[in-house]
């Protein structure tokens, strides 16, 4: 059995050091200018879209540039019923699921995860995660941005790690790859965002069901030559009209606009972009291995995109595959928690195991880090309340059914690829899964570990907030030593 018994982790060797304090100026003026100046694109508005997403800055060495795929479970997954079972706790706690051995001696999961159990040598389970916020907004903001505030807020105060990574890597300068640097495939949309960095660093968002025959990604890969020519004529006309405004270009935005307009054209006309998003180019066996459903195909699309050069990829496992309320928030009023876990387990187990296997089989495991997590766990003690409505994994309204509530004091997540040592678990919880007793890891450690993989020394990077104050991207935390790649 391999596990850490340390209360705190020491940082591994940092890959690089960055220090930036540059802030966006006159954000409102820029956005207004872009909306006005890009009218020539008509309904497409692609240069404005990419200008607001800083889509095409990037890598000097495309294949050596590290990347992260974060698979998000909104609402919080029960650690007791998945990766940290407690079969010897009382019936008030343990749930109905049996445990199964994994490929790692001494490490057991519940019976819901047979595929992941078979490939457990290819990832590490972090069982020592904890944070202090019990609500979905504050819990998500703590884990994804490091905001220590336990109060739920309607919008994030700090930028999430994905936006920060996009911002910092954009400073590397332009790259040849026409794909956006940061993509969300059905991304987590609640409680996250770029905050004071500005909307420029939000993801290029791909929504919908990638398993549907009608699924398309708009604004990429125009194949109609006449449409491309018409677009080119509009751009040329718009540029001629813009020449009269350059004398009033106080902040030099026209030059930047030209750059992003060129990138927008590349995204529209470069065949690489269309191919990267085209799941029909995958063979049937691969698509079947991920699962012919929304989650399976969106994680397959995630792999395709990072392989093609996307550097930050987020994908949220929500919607009908989660059961009645469309997320992992398994209160008794929402779901019969155990029926809900059974309902989603097969699609989840298949999609995540296929993604991890694929990362290794395709030689991406040093460059690409995969993180699978939610904002917190669920209460170890089962509670019973009346259902608020019938549906998948929920009895008729008024029926008493079991549930588990929010639990930030202990939860588990998965880490694969990234050059890390795998086939083990880090940390431990007590006999009921209520509290971490070994290998404590907080949100700052979580974030510092991801930044480390991306070559960002989080202990030395500050970004100016709305008030011009230098703000650390990680206020308190170090890369988790056991999750630092060799």
């Amino acid at each position: 059995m391999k596990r850490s018994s340390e209360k705190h982790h020491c940082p591994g060797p940092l890959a690089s050091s960055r220090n930036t304090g540059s802030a966006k100026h006159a954000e409102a003026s820029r956005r207004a200018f872009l909306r006005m100046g890009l009218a020539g694109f008509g309904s497409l508005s692609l240069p404005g879209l990419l200008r607001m997403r800083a889509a095409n800055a990037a890598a000097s060495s495309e294949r050596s540039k590290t990347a992260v795929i974060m698979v998000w479970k909104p609402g919080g997954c029960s650690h007791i019923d998945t990766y940290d079972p407690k079969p010897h706790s009382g019936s008030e706690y343990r749930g109905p699921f049996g445990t199964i051995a994994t490929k790692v001696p001494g490490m057991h999961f519940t019976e819901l995860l047979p595929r992941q159990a078979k490939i457990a040598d290819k990832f590490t389970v972090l069982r020592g995660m904890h944070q202090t916020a019990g609500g979905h907004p504050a819990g998500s903001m703590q884990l994804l941005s490091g905001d220590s505030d336990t109060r739920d807020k309607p919008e994030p105060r700090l930028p999430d790690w994905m936006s920060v990574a996009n911002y910092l890597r954009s400073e590397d300068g332009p790259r040849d790859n026409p794909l956006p640097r940061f993509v969300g495939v059905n991304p987590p949309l609640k409680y996250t965002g770029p905050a004071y960095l500005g909307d420029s660093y939000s993801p290029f968002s791909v929504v919908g069901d990638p398993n549907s025959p009608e699924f398309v990604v708009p604004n990429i890969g125009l194949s109609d030559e006449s449409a491309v020519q018409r677009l080119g004529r509009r751009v040329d006309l718009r540029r001629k009209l813009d020449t009269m405004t350059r004398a009033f270009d106080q902040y030099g935005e026209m030059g930047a606009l030209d750059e992003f307009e060129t990138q927008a054209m590349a995204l529209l006309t470069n065949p690489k972009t269309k191919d990267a998003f085209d799941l029909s180019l995958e063979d049937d066996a691969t698509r079947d291995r991920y699962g012919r459903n929304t989650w399976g195909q969106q994680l397959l699309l995630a792999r395709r995109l990072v392989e093609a050069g996307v550097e930050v990829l987020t994908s949220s496992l929500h919607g009908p595959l989660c059961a009645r309320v469309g997320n992992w928030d398994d209160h008794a009023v929402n779901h019969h928690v155990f029926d809900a876990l059974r309902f989603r387990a097969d699609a989840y187990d298949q999609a995540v195991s296929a993604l991890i296997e694929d990362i290794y089989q395709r030689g991406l495991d040093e460059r690409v880090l995969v993180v699978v997590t939610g904002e917190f766990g669920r209460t170890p003690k089962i509670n019973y309340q009346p259902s608020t409505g019938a549906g998948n994994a929920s009895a008729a309204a008024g029926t008493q059914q079991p549930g588990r509530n929010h639990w930030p004091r202990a939860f588990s997540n998965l880490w694969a690829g990234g050059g890390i040592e795998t086939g083990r678990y880090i940390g431990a919880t007590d006999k009921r899964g209520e509290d971490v007793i070994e290998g404590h890891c907080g949100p700052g450690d979580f974030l510092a570990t991801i930044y480390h993989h991306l070559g960002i020394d989080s202990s030395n990077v500050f970004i100016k907030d709305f008030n011009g104050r230098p703000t650390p991207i990680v206020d308190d935390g170090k890369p988790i030593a056991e999750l630092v790649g060799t």
Side-chain angles (χ1 to χ4, degrees):
M1 181 185 301
K2 299 180 182 179
R3 73 183 187 193
S4 167
S5 61
E6 298 178 1
K7 292 284 185 181
H8 300 284
H9 296 282
C10 297
L14 296 176
S16 68
S17 175
R18 295 172 183 254
N19 190 358
T20 178
S22 57
K24 302 264 303 168
H25 59 265
E27 187 67 35
S29 302
R30 261 203 305 273
R31 285 199 291 265
F33 173 80
L34 287 169
R35 285 194 296 268
M36 177 180 67
L38 297 176
F41 266 90
S43 61
L44 286 175
S45 297
L46 242 186
L49 179 65
L50 289 203
R51 177 65 182 91
M52 293 188 65
R53 290 170 179 168
N56 282 301
S60 56
S61 175
E62 207 59 60
R63 286 297 167 184
S64 63
K65 183 70 80 172
T66 51
V68 176
I69 298 173
M70 185 182 72
V71 181
W72 184 248
K73 295 180 285 185
C77 173
S78 169
H79 55 298
I80 301 296
D81 299 303
T82 52
Y83 301 107
D84 193 9
K86 303 294 180 180
H88 303 299
S89 61
S91 58
E92 298 173 279
Y93 293 85
R94 67 173 175 258
F97 305 118
T99 60
I100 56 175
T102 72
K103 198 168 183 179
V104 177
M107 184 164 73
H108 292 77
F109 296 161
T110 70
E111 61 188 276
L112 297 177
L113 304 172
R115 293 182 180 89
Q116 291 179 44
K118 289 179 181 178
I119 64 161
D121 59 323
K122 290 183 169 60
F123 55 81
T124 286
V125 180
L126 180 53
R127 286 177 171 170
M129 277 300 307
H130 60 84
Q131 46 111 326
T132 60
H136 297 298
S140 300
M141 292 174 198
Q142 269 207 25
L143 195 65
L144 298 179
S145 71
D147 186 349
S148 60
D149 192 352
T150 59
R151 299 170 300 172
D152 288 336
K153 299 185 288 292
E155 294 182 351
R157 179 178 66 89
L158 301 175
D160 58 46
W161 70 263
M162 302 86 78
S163 302
V164 170
N166 191 16
Y167 171 83
L168 294 175
R169 285 202 163 180
S170 293
E171 294 189 331
D172 292 344
R175 62 176 183 173
D176 294 332
N177 196 320
L179 290 170
R181 174 180 284 104
F182 175 19
V183 175
V185 180
N186 289 325
L189 296 175
K190 289 185 176 181
Y191 322 131
T192 67
Y196 50 74
L197 292 179
D199 289 340
S200 308
Y201 301 99
S202 296
F204 180 90
S205 187
V206 178
V207 297
D209 181 3
N211 191 51
S212 170
E214 289 77 37
F215 175 73
V216 294
V217 179
N219 297 333
I220 65 167
L222 289 178
S223 56
D224 185 340
E225 183 61 31
S226 62
V228 173
Q229 291 176 358
R230 286 196 302 272
L231 183 61
R233 288 194 294 269
R234 290 179 184 178
V235 171
D236 184 58
L237 175 60
R238 207 277 302 150
R239 284 177 175 165
K240 290 176 181 177
L241 293 173
D242 281 343
T243 57
M244 67 183 70
T245 70
R246 291 182 186 271
F248 305 98
D249 184 16
Q250 181 178 359
Y251 297 113
E253 292 294 340
M254 296 303 298
L257 184 60
D258 287 345
E259 176 188 347
F260 283 97
E261 188 171 80
T262 299
Q263 294 167 356
M265 287 290 289
L267 186 59
L268 279 166
T269 61
N270 191 311
K272 180 177 180 179
T273 62
K274 187 177 181 181
D275 289 349
F277 288 94
D278 189 354
L279 287 175
S280 70
L281 298 178
E282 294 286 341
D283 61 69
D284 287 342
T286 299
R287 298 194 68 177
D288 291 344
R289 184 156 58 90
Y290 275 81
R292 295 285 187 147
N293 54 60
T294 304
W295 292 356
Q297 299 306 294
Q298 72 185 48
L299 294 195
L300 175 55
L301 181 55
R303 189 271 290 161
R304 283 188 64 82
L305 290 170
V306 296
E307 195 169 33
V310 171
E311 298 167 16
V312 177
L313 194 297
T314 59
S315 191
S316 176
L317 304 185
H318 61 263
L321 287 174
C322 265
R324 180 172 73 102
V325 301
N327 56 43
W328 298 68
D329 194 24
D330 291 332
H331 300 284
V333 296
N334 290 339
H335 295 141
H336 182 301
V337 57
F338 306 121
D339 287 352
L341 287 163
R342 285 191 186 97
F343 183 85
R344 67 179 71 108
D346 188 59
Y348 169 72
D349 189 35
Q350 182 174 4
V352 169
S353 60
L355 173 64
I356 292 172
E357 279 191 301
D358 227 6
I359 291 298
Y360 285 88
Q361 290 174 358
R362 301 180 76 89
L364 300 170
D365 53 290
E366 292 291 327
R367 187 173 70 85
V368 178
L369 177 69
V370 176
V371 183
V372 184
T373 191
E375 64 265 41
F376 40 52
R378 311 300 300 185
T379 49
K381 189 172 183 179
I382 304 163
N383 66 83
Y384 292 84
Q385 290 179 287
S387 166
T388 55
N392 287 327
S394 182
T399 306
Q400 289 285 121
Q401 59 186 16
R404 295 191 191 270
N405 296 330
H406 305 174
W407 196 254
R409 284 161 48 182
F411 60 105
S412 301
N413 46 41
L414 296 190
W415 300 70
I420 67 173
E421 183 180 345
T422 58
R424 57 181 180 169
Y425 64 91
I426 302 169
T429 57
D430 60 28
K431 64 181 181 180
R432 290 176 173 171
E434 293 178 317
D435 289 288
V436 176
I437 57 174
E438 296 180 6
H440 293 247
C441 296
D445 306 310
F446 175 88
L447 294 170
T449 304
I450 292 176
Y451 284 134
H452 178 273
H453 174 71
L454 292 170
I456 299 168
D457 180 358
S458 59
S459 65
N460 288 317
V461 177
F462 295 77
I463 299 173
K464 289 182 181 179
D465 65 12
F466 286 122
N467 297 313
R469 294 173 298 200
T471 304
I473 61 171
V474 173
D475 191 38
D476 180 24
K478 299 177 180 178
I480 302 165
E482 296 91 336
L483 294 176
V484 170
T486 55

